[in-house]
Amino acid sequence: PPGVPIDYWLGRNLRGPVSLEIRDAEGRLVRGFSSDEKPQTVRAERYFEEDWLKPELRLAASPGMHRFVWNLRRERPRAIRYEYSIRAIFGEDTPTEVEGAFVLPGRYTVELKTAGGAYRAPLTVRLDPRVKASEADLVALDLFTRELDEDLEQAAVADTERESAHAALDELAKRLHGDAAHPALVEQVVSLAQATRAASDSEGLGAASTVLSAIDADAESADRAPTQGQRHVASQYSTALRKAVLAWRELRDHQLAVLDARLRAAGLATLGEPPAARASLGQ
């Protein structure tokens, strides 16, 4: 399989989880794996048969000899949604993009941690001899993809908050439906539910994140400096995404906070608070 095969052996008396860390020459963590971590799930629409997918390789903690393969990539960034790549091999796997960029050539350390101690081995990553990119080109690519990853992470966090708020507003609208005592509150809840839905429409978080994900996947697929076109489009959509994130935070920190205060003053359960919680306080 593509990547670095890492072989390790565990004794019969070993108990507890096993972790594997990849660190760079300065000792900074590049990638970490654990035998007790949950399989990573990504939001991607599968439009093909499941045989084109392969279960994610897990770090084993059972006695005996094991092989784990690190794909030479940094951690996959969080994103609002992912797309299946056309780099598919039947029975092998169909990767989802974005994957996380390849690490730079250089010296690394592999560290296996168990209840019995820590074990280290050196690892040298070399550039494919067929690739003629300079070190400066690769560093520029690394910085470019890191900036895109940060934008995608911000968008994913904001969209998770938005989805949670939208679900809470929908539930609150159902609870208040037909409440003749609080017509203004009902109107405000419905209006904010629409606003939270619109925060991820064609002008919001979703659109900018989709374009930046595509640029990130394109950039990480080749060993070369980012093109001027990639930089130009990334700059435009990064600006749009940051505006969308700020707009969401404004909605969250002000309009939703005002709604919560009005609900509390009316003796009603606030967003995300079950009605029984408010009743138990005697309100």
Side-chain angles (χ1 to χ4, degrees):
V4 181
I6 301 169
D7 296 326
Y8 62 98
W9 180 88
L10 302 174
R12 288 182 297 176
N13 298 324
L14 182 71
R15 296 291 182 271
V18 172
S19 66
L20 189 72
E21 294 181 349
I22 316 292
R23 295 186 177 273
D24 64 16
E26 284 72 43
R28 293 172 298 204
L29 182 65
V30 174
R31 193 76 187 270
F33 306 92
S34 176
S35 61
D36 61 356
E37 67 185 352
K38 295 180 180 179
Q40 188 182 45
T41 57
V42 296
R43 184 186 296 180
E45 181 183 354
R46 179 167 63 84
Y47 53 90
F48 47 82
E49 292 295 326
E50 198 169 354
D51 289 341
W52 288 86
L53 294 176
K54 186 176 182 179
E56 183 181 353
L57 183 64
R58 312 299 301 160
L59 191 69
S62 57
M65 192 74 187
H66 302 286
R67 167 166 287 185
F68 183 80
V69 179
W70 171 44
N71 62 4
L72 288 171
R73 292 179 181 271
R74 299 197 310 260
E75 191 74 40
R76 181 198 303 273
R78 287 180 60 188
I80 293 177
R81 63 184 60 88
Y82 300 85
E83 298 287 342
Y84 283 104
S85 169
I86 61 172
R87 293 181 289 111
I89 302 176
F90 185 80
E92 289 296 323
D93 201 16
T94 301
T96 48
E97 296 173 339
V98 287
E99 293 186 80
F102 285 113
V103 298
L104 293 170
R107 295 185 181 277
Y108 296 83
T109 299
V110 181
E111 183 173 18
L112 182 75
K113 294 182 178 180
T114 71
Y119 308 88
R120 299 174 185 84
L123 168 65
T124 300
V125 177
R126 294 191 177 94
L127 187 65
D128 188 318
R130 296 168 297 180
V131 174
K132 305 306 178 185
S134 67
E135 182 179 355
D137 286 344
L138 297 178
V139 169
L141 174 63
D142 185 68
L143 292 173
F144 181 67
T145 54
R146 285 181 186 276
E147 290 171 356
L148 290 172
D149 288 355
E150 288 177 9
D151 284 342
L152 293 176
E153 291 268 359
Q154 280 196 45
V157 169
D159 199 61
T160 298
E161 294 175 348
R162 181 201 63 77
E163 282 190 340
S164 177
H166 180 65
L169 285 162
D170 268 356
E171 180 62 30
L172 183 58
K174 292 174 185 176
R175 293 206 314 259
L176 295 179
H177 181 69
D179 187 343
H182 306 95
L185 270 178
V186 175
E187 184 179 346
Q188 185 178 10
V189 168
V190 171
S191 174
L192 286 174
Q194 293 172 345
T196 55
R197 184 187 298 112
S200 190
D201 66 8
S202 60
E203 300 297 327
L205 292 166
S209 180
T210 297
V211 174
L212 291 177
S213 291
I215 296 173
D216 203 356
D218 188 46
E220 71 186 22
S221 68
D223 295 307
R224 55 167 170 71
T227 66
Q228 201 57 41
Q230 286 174 327
R231 289 186 181 278
H232 177 68
V233 176
S235 176
Q236 281 186 316
Y237 280 88
S238 178
T239 300
L241 186 143
R242 289 170 187 169
K243 286 181 179 178
V245 169
L246 288 174
W248 158 247
R249 290 174 181 169
E250 175 73 18
L251 178 63
R252 178 196 66 190
D253 297 339
H254 294 88
Q255 297 183 56
L256 294 183
V258 168
L259 174 62
D260 265 349
R262 292 188 64 189
L263 290 167
R264 197 174 293 110
L268 299 171
T270 57
L271 287 176
E273 180 184 27
R278 183 65 45 184
S280 68
L281 296 176
Q283 299 184 31

